[in-house]
C-alpha cells in the first residue's frame, strides 16, 4: 500500500503499480519527493485541503494523470513536481501558492490550460512567473487571458 510517515502527515511513496484514482487522506500535509514517481496508471489524484507542499518530483512520470486541482492551502510546488506527466491537460493553482520551482511542468506535452486563482498577483521577478514563462516560451499552453494572469512590477 501507500507509505506514510509515523504521524501520517507525509505521504512518502505510492507503489508504481497503483492503478486508477487515489484519494489522499485528510491530515496529510506533504507529498514527499518522488512520492508518486512513475505511477504510470495513476489517472487522477484527490488532494485534501490539509496539503501544503508538493516536494521535488512529487508526480514525475505519472503519464496517465490528466487533470489536477491543487488544494487551497498549498504554499509551494517544488522542482519538477509534474515533470513527464505527458497526458496532463489542465491544472488549477490556488492563490495560496507563493513558491513554484523550476521545471514544474517540463515534458507535460499535452498541457493546455493552467488556471490561476484570480486573486493571485504574480510579479515578473518571482519563481512562479519564471515557471510560467518557461511554459509559454515552449508554446505548450494556450491562455485566453494571459494579460490578466501576469501583472508588471511597478
Amino acid at each position: 500500500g501507500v507509505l506514510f510517515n509515523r504521524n501520517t502527515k507525509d505521504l512518502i511513496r505510492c507503489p508504481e503499480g497503483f492503478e486508477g484514482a487515489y484519494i489522499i487522506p485528510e491530515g496529510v500535509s506533504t507529498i514527499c519527493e518522488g512520492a508518486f514517481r512513475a505511477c504510470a496508471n495513476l489517472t487522477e489524484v484527490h488532494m485534501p485541503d490539509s496539503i501544503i507542499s508538493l516536494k521535488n518530483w512529487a508526480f514525475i512520470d505519472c503519464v496517465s494523470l490528466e487533470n489536477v486541482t491543487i488544494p487551497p492551502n498549498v504554499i509551494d510546488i517544488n522542482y519538477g513536481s509534474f515533470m513527464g506527466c505527458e497526458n496532463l491537460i489542465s491544472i488549477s493553482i490556488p492563490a495560496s501558492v507563493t513558491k513554484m520551482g523550476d521545471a514544474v511542468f517540463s515534458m507535460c506535452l499535452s498541457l493546455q490550460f493552467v488556471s490561476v486563482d484570480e486573486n493571485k498577483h504574480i510579479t515578473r521577478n518571482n519563481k512562479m512567473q519564471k515557471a510560467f514563462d518557461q511554459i509559454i516560451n515552449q508554446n505548450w499552453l494556450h491562455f485566453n487571458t494571459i494579460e490578466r494572469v501576469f501583472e508588471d512590477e511597478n
Side-chain angles (χ1 to χ4, degrees):
V2 176
L3 179 64
F4 298 90
N5 70 340
R6 185 178 295 237
N7 65 7
T8 66
K9 297 286 185 195
D10 299 340
L11 191 155
I12 297 170
R13 188 74 176 114
C14 180
E16 287 182 18
F18 184 87
E19 294 185 15
Y22 181 70
I23 300 171
I24 297 173
E26 184 64 47
V28 173
S29 60
T30 301
I31 299 176
C32 293
E33 186 169 310
F36 288 89
R37 178 184 63 244
C39 288
N41 297 310
L42 178 71
T43 56
E44 57 185 304
V45 62
H46 300 276
M47 293 183 244
D49 289 352
S50 57
I51 297 285
I52 58 170
S53 181
L54 304 180
K55 298 300 182 190
N56 296 346
W57 308 296
F59 294 95
I60 190 170
D61 295 332
C62 291
V63 296
S64 297
L65 196 58
E66 292 185 0
N67 301 294
V68 174
T69 299
I70 306 294
N73 297 315
V74 170
I75 296 168
D76 60 327
I77 302 172
N78 288 282
Y79 182 89
S81 291
F82 295 96
M83 182 183 286
C85 293
E86 297 171 357
N87 289 305
L88 185 63
I89 296 167
S90 68
I91 190 160
S92 177
I93 299 171
S96 60
V97 174
T98 58
K99 176 189 171 200
M100 185 174 265
D102 291 337
V104 170
F105 304 112
S106 176
M107 301 306 296
C108 292
L109 303 177
S110 299
L111 191 57
Q112 297 175 36
F113 302 99
V114 173
S115 169
V116 179
D117 189 298
E118 276 187 43
N119 297 323
K120 182 69 180 172
H121 296 286
I122 302 169
T123 59
R124 290 271 174 209
N125 66 349
N126 74 16
K127 284 288 225 178
M128 186 178 288
Q129 176 65 46
K130 185 177 177 185
F132 281 114
D133 283 347
Q134 288 172 349
I135 298 165
I136 293 163
N137 290 338
Q138 293 166 351
N139 297 318
W140 289 350
L141 291 184
H142 169 70
F143 286 104
N144 291 326
T145 55
I146 192 79
E147 56 285 339
R148 284 182 44 205
V149 175
F150 303 123
E151 92 181 7
D152 286 323
E153 184 178 26
N154 285 329

